């Protein structure tokens, strides 16, 4: 284990990265050939052009599923290298606990409950989606002179009413739904779900590689203006298939075609009769390899220095994910359902080998990207996120604020190190995350006044959101 200061060690423990402190260092670092991670510190300001924005999402990737976050059995050298070249965030969260609400929060910079489509957890039919009239990260950047593209999983509504190209992205290549079989491209509505723009595109190869090739092509182009690329992989979301598993995929596709109800299609895609820790490891490692290919193309293009790369998961992991020491998983607002691996690299403005314990969540990054690009939010649709630009570039501390989450079954709010959580039975809990990121020591009986204060804060925010429709 590399030498590490007492302060840095305390920060790792406080930030929740104690899956093993050695999990923050690669083999090379442990051997002394690379510098150890240090607490984040902004670099003195330098001038430069507005950055390109490469925003990469994994799908259902758990907080500790990367070796740089503590996974003992998964090797992710490309994402670990990205972390060494930038900042690894230990206390970063998704905007919700499932796929489409988080995407709403990232695309709009607002709580999912601000819009009717964001109330679906997740979107599962053609009547739900992101209203094309609502401003998005893409539409706002487009007004500021950016080219915009989305490659991969959209999951904010199906044609004919909803599509990335209706919401500000110049280009779209990917799937509209939340899940598909990786080879046949049959999705959750039972039909073929791979599109280029608004037209189907036939390609029966492994989906992760298909998306990677498109992303490599995009970043390698000769761009004449700054660009935003949302690269949304479906990996490692079920069904549990890696490259070479065509036969297993064909069996799932046959079940989808034979299904006579939406529940039957979902059951086929859930793949509850398949998968393993080893298969999941293979999928995560294929995601890492895919990201590595895209980053290599970015380097070859000469744009690496002034491209901000953001990598995160859309929510917590499930079934085969490695989440230790967190409790909970996807769909819940316990830490394992919403705390996600998050890495930011921008060589021109941000130093590498750094770790940050600053709490943040998806809408914050929308606000950050807009500020860095010189784009203005629409005043009619105020953001719920707080820009981290001043923190990243000037060392300013973000203003004191609360991180808020709401799903049908749970509620949660984080203020500093304190977290208020209400479970599905309606019982209220209070956790001090720096001392107990596993959420096992319920301090609600000991701190009733603080519990009441945080609960009231949650209620105030909730009062401004749309109510859920009757179940």
């Amino acid at each position: 284990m590399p030498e590490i200061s007492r302060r840095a060690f305390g920060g790792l423990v406080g930030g929740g990265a104690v899956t093993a402190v050695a999990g923050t260092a690669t083999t090379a670092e442990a051997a002394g050939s690379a510098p150890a991670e240090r607490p984040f510190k902004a670099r003195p300001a330098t001038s430069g052009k507005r950055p390109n924005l490469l925003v990469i999402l994994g799908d259902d990737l758990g907080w500790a599923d990367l070796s740089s976050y503590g996974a003992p059995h998964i090797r992710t050298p490309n994402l670990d290298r990205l972390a060494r070249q930038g900042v690894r965030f230990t206390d970063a969260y998704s905007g919700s606990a499932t796929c489409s609400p988080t995407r709403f929060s990232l695309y709009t910079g607002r709580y999912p409950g601000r819009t009717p489509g964001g109330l679906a957890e997740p979107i599962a039919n053609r009547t739900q989606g992101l209203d094309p009239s609502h401003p998005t990260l893409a539409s706002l950047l487009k007004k500021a002179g950016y080219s915009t593209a989305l490659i991969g999983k959209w999951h904010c509504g199906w044609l004919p009413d909803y599509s990335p190209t209706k919401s500000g992205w110049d280009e779209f290549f990917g799937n509209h739904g939340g899940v598909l079989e990786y080879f046949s491209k049959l999705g959750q509505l039972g039909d073929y779900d791979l599109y280029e723009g608004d037209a189907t595109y036939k390609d029966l190869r492994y989906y992760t590689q298909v998306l990677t090739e498109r992303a490599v092509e995009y970043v390698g182009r000769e761009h004449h203006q700054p660009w935003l690329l949302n690269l949304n992989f479906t990996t490692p979301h079920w069904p549990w298939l890696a490259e070479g598993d065509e036969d297993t995929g064909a069996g799932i596709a046959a079940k989808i075609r034979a299904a006579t109800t939406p529940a039957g299609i979902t059951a086929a895609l859930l793949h509850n009769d398949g998968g393993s820790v080893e298969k999941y490891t293979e999928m995560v490692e294929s995601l890492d390899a895919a990201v590595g290919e895209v980053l290599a193309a970015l380097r070859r293009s000469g744009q690496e220095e002034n491209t901000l790369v953001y990598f995160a998961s859309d929510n917590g992991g499930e079934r085969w994910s490695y989440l230790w020491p967190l409790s909970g998983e996807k769909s819940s607002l316990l830490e394992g359902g919403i705390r996600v691996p998050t890495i930011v690299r921008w060589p021109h403005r941000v130093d590498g080998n750094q770790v940050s314990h600053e709490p943040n969540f998806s809408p914050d990054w929308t606000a950050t990207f807009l500020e860095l690009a010189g784009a203005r939010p629409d005043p009619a649709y105020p953001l719920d996120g707080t820009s981290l630009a001043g923190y990243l570039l000037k060392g300013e501390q973000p203003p004191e604020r609360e991180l808020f989450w709401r799903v049908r079954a749970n509620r949660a709010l984080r203020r500093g190190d304190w977290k208020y959580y209400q479970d599905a039975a309606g019982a209220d809990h209070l956790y001090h995350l720096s001392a107990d990121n596993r959420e096992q020591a319920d301090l609600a009986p000991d701190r009733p006044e603080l519990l009441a204060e945080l609960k009231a804060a949650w209620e105030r925010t909730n009062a401004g959101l749309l109510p859920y429709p009757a179940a």
Side-chain angles (χ1 to χ4, degrees), residues 199-256:
T200 56
Y201 183 93
K202 293 295 181 182
D203 193 327
L204 302 181
R205 295 176 299 152
Y206 188 63
Y207 193 37
T208 306
Q209 188 55 40
V210 174
L211 296 180
T212 302
E213 289 177 6
R214 278 298 177 119
V216 165
E217 186 277 328
Y218 185 86
V219 303
R221 291 182 198 170
E222 184 177 353
H223 293 273
H224 299 289
Q225 57 195 115
W227 48 265
L228 162 72
L229 172 58
N230 287 93
L231 176 54
N232 299 344
F233 290 100
T234 57
T235 319
H237 194 293
W238 40 265
W240 315 110
L241 300 169
E243 196 160 7
D245 289 337
E246 289 93 342
D247 290 346
T248 305
I252 293 170
K255 292 179 181 178
I256 294 171

Side-chain angles (χ1 to χ4, degrees), residues 27-98:
T27 303
E29 288 171 349
S33 60
E37 205 173 51
R38 64 184 186 276
F40 175 77
K41 182 178 181 181
R43 182 196 300 172
T46 57
S47 60
K49 300 182 297 183
R50 295 179 296 167
N52 303 315
L53 298 167
L54 175 54
V55 179
I56 307 174
L57 288 184
D59 198 354
D60 292 3
L61 182 74
W63 181 78
D65 275 336
L66 306 182
S67 45
S68 51
Y69 277 79
H73 60 295
I74 304 175
R75 296 292 170 257
T76 51
N78 295 292
L79 287 164
D80 299 343
R81 185 181 305 111
L82 185 71
R84 292 198 305 275
Q85 294 169 342
V87 184
R88 187 179 68 87
F89 289 83
T90 62
D91 289 38
Y93 295 88
S94 55
S96 190
T98 53

Side-chain angles (χ1 to χ4, degrees), residues 59-391:
D59 198 354
D60 292 3
L61 182 74
W63 181 78
D65 275 336
L66 306 182
S67 45
S68 51
Y69 277 79
H73 60 295
I74 304 175
R75 296 292 170 257
T76 51
N78 295 292
L79 287 164
D80 299 343
R81 185 181 305 111
L82 185 71
R84 292 198 305 275
Q85 294 169 342
V87 184
R88 187 179 68 87
F89 289 83
T90 62
D91 289 38
Y93 295 88
S94 55
S96 190
T98 53
C99 303
S100 56
T102 289
R103 291 163 203 273
F104 269 72
S105 72
L106 181 62
Y107 298 156
T108 68
R110 311 178 79 209
Y111 299 129
R114 297 285 185 200
T115 61
L119 299 176
E121 296 171 350
I123 286 176
N125 61 61
R126 293 188 188 276
T127 68
Q128 305 162 326
L130 176 56
D131 186 340
S133 67
H134 194 294
T136 64
L137 174 64
S139 67
L140 295 169
L141 289 179
K142 195 172 176 178
K143 287 182 180 178
Y146 273 65
S147 299
T148 59
L150 191 149
I151 295 174
K153 176 174 170 176
W154 162 240
H155 205 186
C156 285
W158 279 270
L159 290 169
D161 296 324
Y162 310 104
S163 169
T165 57
K166 298 178 186 293
S167 290
W169 282 269
D170 298 318
E171 302 177 35
F172 170 56
F173 179 85
N175 60 302
H176 289 97
V179 58
L180 47 61
E181 192 277 301
Y182 283 79
F183 298 96
S184 70
K185 311 303 184 295
L186 295 180
Q188 69 189 94
L189 299 185
D191 53 3
Y192 188 84
D193 192 13
L194 175 57
Y195 285 77
E196 184 172 38
D198 291 345
T200 56
Y201 183 93
K202 293 295 181 182
D203 193 327
L204 302 181
R205 295 176 299 152
Y206 188 63
Y207 193 37
T208 306
Q209 188 55 40
V210 174
L211 296 180
T212 302
E213 289 177 6
R214 278 298 177 119
V216 165
E217 186 277 328
Y218 185 86
V219 303
R221 291 182 198 170
E222 184 177 353
H223 293 273
H224 299 289
Q225 57 195 115
W227 48 265
L228 162 72
L229 172 58
N230 287 93
L231 176 54
N232 299 344
F233 290 100
T234 57
T235 319
H237 194 293
W238 40 265
W240 315 110
L241 300 169
E243 196 160 7
D245 289 337
E246 289 93 342
D247 290 346
T248 305
I252 293 170
K255 292 179 181 178
I256 294 171
R257 293 187 183 99
T260 57
T261 64
I265 295 169
T266 300
L269 287 164
L270 272 169
H271 200 193
N272 281 333
D273 58 348
S276 64
V277 170
E278 291 74 20
K279 183 57 62 179
Y280 183 78
T281 297
E282 195 176 345
M283 294 179 75
V284 175
E285 291 182 353
S286 77
L287 170 65
D288 178 76
V291 172
E293 288 188 46
V294 176
L295 296 179
L298 181 65
R299 186 165 53 253
R300 291 193 301 269
S301 75
Q303 303 171 90
E304 181 180 64
E305 184 72 12
N306 200 42
T307 297
L308 187 155
V309 179
Y310 166 89
F311 175 87
S313 180
D314 62 343
N315 47 248
E318 62 165 325
R319 194 171 179 190
W320 309 112
S321 287
Y322 183 75
L323 295 168
W324 181 262
L326 308 182
S327 294
E329 60 180 15
K330 175 184 175 179
S331 299
S332 90
L333 295 179
L334 289 168
E335 293 292 284
I338 51 176
R339 196 187 288 210
V340 293
T342 299
I343 299 167
V344 171
R345 185 191 74 182
W346 185 11
H348 180 59
R349 299 297 304 271
V350 177
D351 290 334
N353 291 304
Q354 298 197 87
V355 61
S356 171
H357 311 301
E358 182 64 36
N360 62 84
F361 71 155
S362 304
D364 293 339
W365 293 104
T366 315
T368 303
F369 299 151
L370 291 174
E371 181 173 349
L372 294 176
R376 295 173 179 263
D378 188 321
Y381 299 87
L383 303 180
D384 291 311
T386 299
S387 174
L388 300 174
Y391 173 74

